Amino acid sequence: MIQFADETTRPQVREMWKTVFGDPDDYMEVYFRHKYRDEATLLRMEGDKVVASLQMLPYRFNFCGREIPVIYLSGVSTLPGYRRKGYVRELLIKSFEEAQRKDVPLMVLAPQEEWLVGFYDRYGFAQTFDAGTEALPSLKLLLEKCHGDLHAAFREFNALFGQKDMTLQKSFDDFRAMVEEAALYDFPAKRNLTGMARVIDAQRLVSLFAACYQQKSFSIRVYDELLENNNALFTVMDGKVERKLPVDRSGLRDREEAAVDKKKPPRKPILATDVRELAQLLLGYHISEKGEPFSSLFPEKEPQMHFMLE
């Protein structure tokens, strides 16, 4: 059974975090005080025992000139002895449903180990953020510059990152947690993180892209093996998007379109992609490596994710 956490299951979630991740108690105190919320924590139960869980942390993300809600997946874990039973898959699918219910169009995460990139790829995530090679601005120096005034330091921090496109944003509460966590370890150097994104609502994201780049005109067929609503042909023109004909990989839809369009003048070829590549295209990730026509249609960006209490 899958359920949300509550005050009776919260201690088990914390104990499982300690068992699976082995984080120090002082770090866990900061994390669970600032970030953990029962209502954002999905649990897989066996009887009264929590055997797997994940947390859906709310953030904001700058996307195509707008700030949109996103969910950051954290603490995805299964107790030893209960693994290889598909429990994480169940939780991920449920988290997608919750994101749809909350009108959140995009999910992101930061895989802590390289093998997890392949694991999350199975569920429609794609790498869209690269690890940084240069240190980010020091939180310690920001605080010193502002004479310890946390609100002033946050304003300085927000001036650096608040307007950057394709960048995960931080609230003041996020910033306070970042500072407390960094202080535990004498403010170590931080860098951009390797990160992945998962499109939850393709139509909404493509519509925001179209509104931002009104001169763009193309049609793109998207395939998503897990979220049926994303299976569609999206036509972008004059800043708007038309969605039609769910994707049918058997080719029947292609024949239908050919029959319908037989009397219409020739048009540009329809592009085809899956939900993973769609995330990369919309976020502008390594577009130059994809070649034409994608490199002409989708601007190259540098998506950034950082300071995630890693």
PDB file of all heavy atoms in Angstrom, residues 136-148:
ATOM      1  N   LEU A 136      31.105  27.671  -6.936  1.00  0.00           N
ATOM      2  CA  LEU A 136      30.066  28.692  -6.918  1.00  0.00           C
ATOM      3  C   LEU A 136      30.404  29.749  -5.867  1.00  0.00           C
ATOM      4  O   LEU A 136      31.275  29.535  -5.013  1.00  0.00           O
ATOM      5  CB  LEU A 136      28.723  28.040  -6.593  1.00  0.00           C
ATOM      6  CG  LEU A 136      28.192  27.072  -7.656  1.00  0.00           C
ATOM      7  CD1 LEU A 136      27.081  26.209  -7.078  1.00  0.00           C
ATOM      8  CD2 LEU A 136      27.696  27.835  -8.875  1.00  0.00           C
ATOM      9  N   PRO A 137      29.738  30.901  -5.913  1.00  0.00           N
ATOM     10  CA  PRO A 137      29.990  31.922  -4.889  1.00  0.00           C
ATOM     11  C   PRO A 137      29.854  31.354  -3.480  1.00  0.00           C
ATOM     12  O   PRO A 137      28.949  30.571  -3.196  1.00  0.00           O
ATOM     13  CB  PRO A 137      28.910  32.969  -5.183  1.00  0.00           C
ATOM     14  CG  PRO A 137      28.645  32.830  -6.646  1.00  0.00           C
ATOM     15  CD  PRO A 137      28.769  31.365  -6.929  1.00  0.00           C
ATOM     16  N   SER A 138      30.756  31.739  -2.613  1.00  0.00           N
ATOM     17  CA  SER A 138      30.801  31.211  -1.252  1.00  0.00           C
ATOM     18  C   SER A 138      29.689  31.806  -0.387  1.00  0.00           C
ATOM     19  O   SER A 138      29.540  33.028  -0.295  1.00  0.00           O
ATOM     20  CB  SER A 138      32.161  31.530  -0.624  1.00  0.00           C
ATOM     21  OG  SER A 138      32.136  31.318   0.766  1.00  0.00           O
ATOM     22  N   LEU A 139      28.918  30.927   0.252  1.00  0.00           N
ATOM     23  CA  LEU A 139      27.891  31.402   1.174  1.00  0.00           C
ATOM     24  C   LEU A 139      28.528  32.124   2.363  1.00  0.00           C
ATOM     25  O   LEU A 139      27.981  33.105   2.880  1.00  0.00           O
ATOM     26  CB  LEU A 139      27.049  30.223   1.664  1.00  0.00           C
ATOM     27  CG  LEU A 139      26.254  29.459   0.601  1.00  0.00           C
ATOM     28  CD1 LEU A 139      25.468  28.322   1.246  1.00  0.00           C
ATOM     29  CD2 LEU A 139      25.315  30.391  -0.153  1.00  0.00           C
ATOM     30  N   LYS A 140      29.683  31.646   2.781  1.00  0.00           N
ATOM     31  CA  LYS A 140      30.380  32.275   3.908  1.00  0.00           C
ATOM     32  C   LYS A 140      30.762  33.710   3.574  1.00  0.00           C
ATOM     33  O   LYS A 140      30.564  34.634   4.387  1.00  0.00           O
ATOM     34  CB  LYS A 140      31.620  31.466   4.268  1.00  0.00           C
ATOM     35  CG  LYS A 140      32.369  31.985   5.488  1.00  0.00           C
ATOM     36  CD  LYS A 140      33.547  31.087   5.829  1.00  0.00           C
ATOM     37  CE  LYS A 140      34.255  31.573   7.089  1.00  0.00           C
ATOM     38  NZ  LYS A 140      35.396  30.680   7.449  1.00  0.00           N
ATOM     39  N   LEU A 141      31.286  33.922   2.359  1.00  0.00           N
ATOM     40  CA  LEU A 141      31.676  35.274   1.959  1.00  0.00           C
ATOM     41  C   LEU A 141      30.458  36.183   1.803  1.00  0.00           C
ATOM     42  O   LEU A 141      30.521  37.376   2.116  1.00  0.00           O
ATOM     43  CB  LEU A 141      32.477  35.225   0.660  1.00  0.00           C
ATOM     44  CG  LEU A 141      33.859  34.566   0.752  1.00  0.00           C
ATOM     45  CD1 LEU A 141      34.554  34.588  -0.603  1.00  0.00           C
ATOM     46  CD2 LEU A 141      34.722  35.256   1.814  1.00  0.00           C
ATOM     47  N   LEU A 142      29.350  35.623   1.319  1.00  0.00           N
ATOM     48  CA  LEU A 142      28.126  36.416   1.223  1.00  0.00           C
ATOM     49  C   LEU A 142      27.676  36.890   2.602  1.00  0.00           C
ATOM     50  O   LEU A 142      27.281  38.045   2.783  1.00  0.00           O
ATOM     51  CB  LEU A 142      27.010  35.600   0.566  1.00  0.00           C
ATOM     52  CG  LEU A 142      27.036  35.433  -0.952  1.00  0.00           C
ATOM     53  CD1 LEU A 142      25.865  34.579  -1.406  1.00  0.00           C
ATOM     54  CD2 LEU A 142      26.996  36.788  -1.648  1.00  0.00           C
ATOM     55  N   LEU A 143      27.735  35.984   3.579  1.00  0.00           N
ATOM     56  CA  LEU A 143      27.341  36.348   4.941  1.00  0.00           C
ATOM     57  C   LEU A 143      28.279  37.396   5.526  1.00  0.00           C
ATOM     58  O   LEU A 143      27.839  38.348   6.187  1.00  0.00           O
ATOM     59  CB  LEU A 143      27.328  35.102   5.828  1.00  0.00           C
ATOM     60  CG  LEU A 143      26.148  34.149   5.640  1.00  0.00           C
ATOM     61  CD1 LEU A 143      26.390  32.849   6.386  1.00  0.00           C
ATOM     62  CD2 LEU A 143      24.855  34.801   6.113  1.00  0.00           C
ATOM     63  N   GLU A 144      29.573  37.228   5.289  1.00  0.00           N
ATOM     64  CA  GLU A 144      30.535  38.205   5.803  1.00  0.00           C
ATOM     65  C   GLU A 144      30.323  39.572   5.166  1.00  0.00           C
ATOM     66  O   GLU A 144      30.394  40.607   5.839  1.00  0.00           O
ATOM     67  CB  GLU A 144      31.959  37.709   5.547  1.00  0.00           C
ATOM     68  CG  GLU A 144      32.337  36.501   6.394  1.00  0.00           C
ATOM     69  CD  GLU A 144      33.711  35.953   6.044  1.00  0.00           C
ATOM     70  OE1 GLU A 144      34.298  36.422   5.039  1.00  0.00           O
ATOM     71  OE2 GLU A 144      34.197  35.058   6.760  1.00  0.00           O
ATOM     72  N   LYS A 145      30.049  39.572   3.868  1.00  0.00           N
ATOM     73  CA  LYS A 145      29.797  40.829   3.163  1.00  0.00           C
ATOM     74  C   LYS A 145      28.589  41.554   3.744  1.00  0.00           C
ATOM     75  O   LYS A 145      28.555  42.792   3.798  1.00  0.00           O
ATOM     76  CB  LYS A 145      29.577  40.548   1.675  1.00  0.00           C
ATOM     77  CG  LYS A 145      29.253  41.777   0.845  1.00  0.00           C
ATOM     78  CD  LYS A 145      29.017  41.402  -0.616  1.00  0.00           C
ATOM     79  CE  LYS A 145      28.638  42.628  -1.447  1.00  0.00           C
ATOM     80  NZ  LYS A 145      28.385  42.262  -2.871  1.00  0.00           N
ATOM     81  N   CYS A 146      27.610  40.765   4.188  1.00  0.00           N
ATOM     82  CA  CYS A 146      26.365  41.341   4.719  1.00  0.00           C
ATOM     83  C   CYS A 146      26.366  41.394   6.244  1.00  0.00           C
ATOM     84  O   CYS A 146      25.299  41.556   6.864  1.00  0.00           O
ATOM     85  CB  CYS A 146      25.169  40.539   4.215  1.00  0.00           C
ATOM     86  SG  CYS A 146      24.982  40.579   2.420  1.00  0.00           S
ATOM     87  N   HIS A 147      27.546  41.220   6.854  1.00  0.00           N
ATOM     88  CA  HIS A 147      27.705  41.328   8.310  1.00  0.00           C
ATOM     89  C   HIS A 147      26.754  40.395   9.061  1.00  0.00           C
ATOM     90  O   HIS A 147      26.199  40.762  10.109  1.00  0.00           O
ATOM     91  CB  HIS A 147      27.493  42.777   8.764  1.00  0.00           C
ATOM     92  CG  HIS A 147      28.329  43.771   8.019  1.00  0.00           C
ATOM     93  ND1 HIS A 147      29.702  43.876   8.183  1.00  0.00           N
ATOM     94  CD2 HIS A 147      27.996  44.686   7.060  1.00  0.00           C
ATOM     95  CE1 HIS A 147      30.172  44.822   7.389  1.00  0.00           C
ATOM     96  NE2 HIS A 147      29.164  45.329   6.692  1.00  0.00           N
ATOM     97  N   GLY A 148      26.564  39.194   8.502  1.00  0.00           N
ATOM     98  CA  GLY A 148      25.747  38.193   9.168  1.00  0.00           C
ATOM     99  C   GLY A 148      24.252  38.362   8.991  1.00  0.00           C
ATOM    100  O   GLY A 148      23.473  37.578   9.550  1.00  0.00           O
TER     101      GLY A 148
END
